[in-house]
Amino acid sequence: NAGVMQNPRHLVRRRGQEARLRCSPMKGHSHVYWYRQLPEEGLKFMVYLQKENIIDESGMPKERFSAEFPKEGPSILRIQQVVRGDSAAYFCASSPPGTGNLGNTIYFGEGSWLTVV
Amino acid sequence: AQSVAQPEDQVNVAEGNPLTVKCTYSVSGNPYLFWYVQYPNRGLQFLLKYITGDNLVKGSYGFEAEFNKSQTSFHLKKPSALVSDSALYFCAVRGPSTSGTYKYIFGTGTRLKVLA
């Protein structure tokens, strides 16, 4: 049973380019979460999605960042016109269906490390 | 709004000694509490969680955590530390947000260093 798959693991972008990070949840999981980890900092919640629906995007910057989880295919975190401050590790996690089952464990991928030069 | 605090940036302990990594939480309603461990350049690995029932929860790699409702704490413990336990540990809480959804909120992490 494959775990949460993220790619690319490492991505280098020049300022102003776009970064696309992909996340395939664990089999049977329909909820996806994106977190950002800055160097020497904790995990910051960005967005919570289920297929074709954004449940909570309260942690997403208002500009340049977007996320989707289409009916088919992986979840995508998109960062447009990247700046140096976007350099961070971006982690995806997934959980089984059921927003009301608060005891569900979320399982993390290995992360995507974005470096903006 | 829910929150979780890890008051120590770093904890040092000698190999073989007991370890404690502290976590306190704030959430409206019943808390759902989790501990994760992160090794360098890796994702977070689930250790254990508290949903309901016994206040002492046992998890992976010999770790356990004690839920204390009156002190709103969920400290991670291990009776005898190993050098290989050295890593970054995150406490997390799940509770309702202002939007009515239920997201997982993580602490800032505590770096555990076990000295040989």
Side-chain angles (χ1 to χ4, degrees):
Chain A
N1 186 15
V4 178
M5 304 300 292
Q6 288 189 248
N7 68 82
R9 289 294 313 279
H10 298 277
L11 182 63
V12 179
R13 285 287 177 265
R14 296 187 184 278
R15 280 178 294 171
Q17 291 185 319
E18 179 179 286
R20 283 191 181 220
L21 310 178
R22 289 175 290 278
C23 170
S24 295
M26 285 179 72
K27 188 175 181 180
H29 287 191
S30 59
H31 290 212
V32 163
Y33 311 77
W34 285 94
Y35 289 83
R36 177 164 63 176
Q37 185 177 32
L38 292 166
E40 303 305 317
E41 291 190 19
L43 281 174
K44 298 292 186 186
F45 168 79
M46 298 183 76
V47 63
Y48 172 18
L49 312 105
Q50 65 181 130
K51 282 193 181 287
E52 300 183 286
N53 187 28
I54 296 176
I55 299 176
D56 186 336
E57 58 180 348
S58 57
M60 287 280 272
K62 297 291 183 228
E63 297 178 350
R64 303 188 296 109
F65 285 73
S66 62
E68 62 176 5
F69 189 15
K71 186 177 180 181
E72 301 290 338
S75 174
I76 306 285
L77 179 67
R78 182 181 179 207
I79 312 172
Q80 295 177 289
Q81 299 174 336
V82 296
V83 301
R84 286 227 172 100
D86 297 332
S87 296
Y90 292 84
F91 289 96
C92 171
S94 72
S95 70
T99 316
N101 189 353
L102 301 185
N104 278 340
T105 301
I106 56 170
Y107 294 92
F108 282 82
E110 291 294 299
S112 291
W113 269 257
L114 172 65
T115 301
V116 180
V117 297
Chain B
Q2 69 273 27
S3 65
V4 62
Q6 295 181 242
E8 302 154 315
D9 289 337
Q10 181 159 320
V11 170
N12 295 331
V13 63
E15 187 176 30
N17 282 3
L19 70 87
T20 298
V21 182
K22 295 179 180 177
C23 171
T24 58
Y25 66 89
S26 173
V27 65
S28 56
N30 293 325
Y32 296 82
L33 298 156
F34 304 80
W35 275 103
Y36 287 80
V37 60
Q38 185 183 31
Y39 297 98
N41 300 316
R42 303 293 301 277
L44 278 69
Q45 296 177 32
F46 170 71
L47 281 178
L48 51 79
K49 67 181 177 183
Y50 172 82
I51 302 174
T52 187
D54 285 343
N55 289 343
L56 187 64
V57 179
K58 295 191 183 296
S60 307
Y61 313 121
F63 284 93
E64 57 191 26
E66 187 169 11
F67 170 66
N68 187 318
K69 188 173 183 178
S70 63
Q71 297 184 6
T72 61
S73 66
F74 189 54
H75 300 331
L76 182 70
K77 301 183 180 187
K78 188 173 182 181
S80 179
L82 301 172
V83 172
S84 58
D85 293 329
S86 299
L88 189 57
Y89 290 81
F90 288 97
C91 180
V93 65
R94 193 179 194 198
S97 67
T98 52
S99 61
T101 61
Y102 298 89
K103 58 192 177 188
Y104 299 79
I105 300 299
F106 284 79
T108 50
T110 297
R111 190 166 300 281
L112 174 67
K113 189 174 275 190
V114 181
L115 307 168

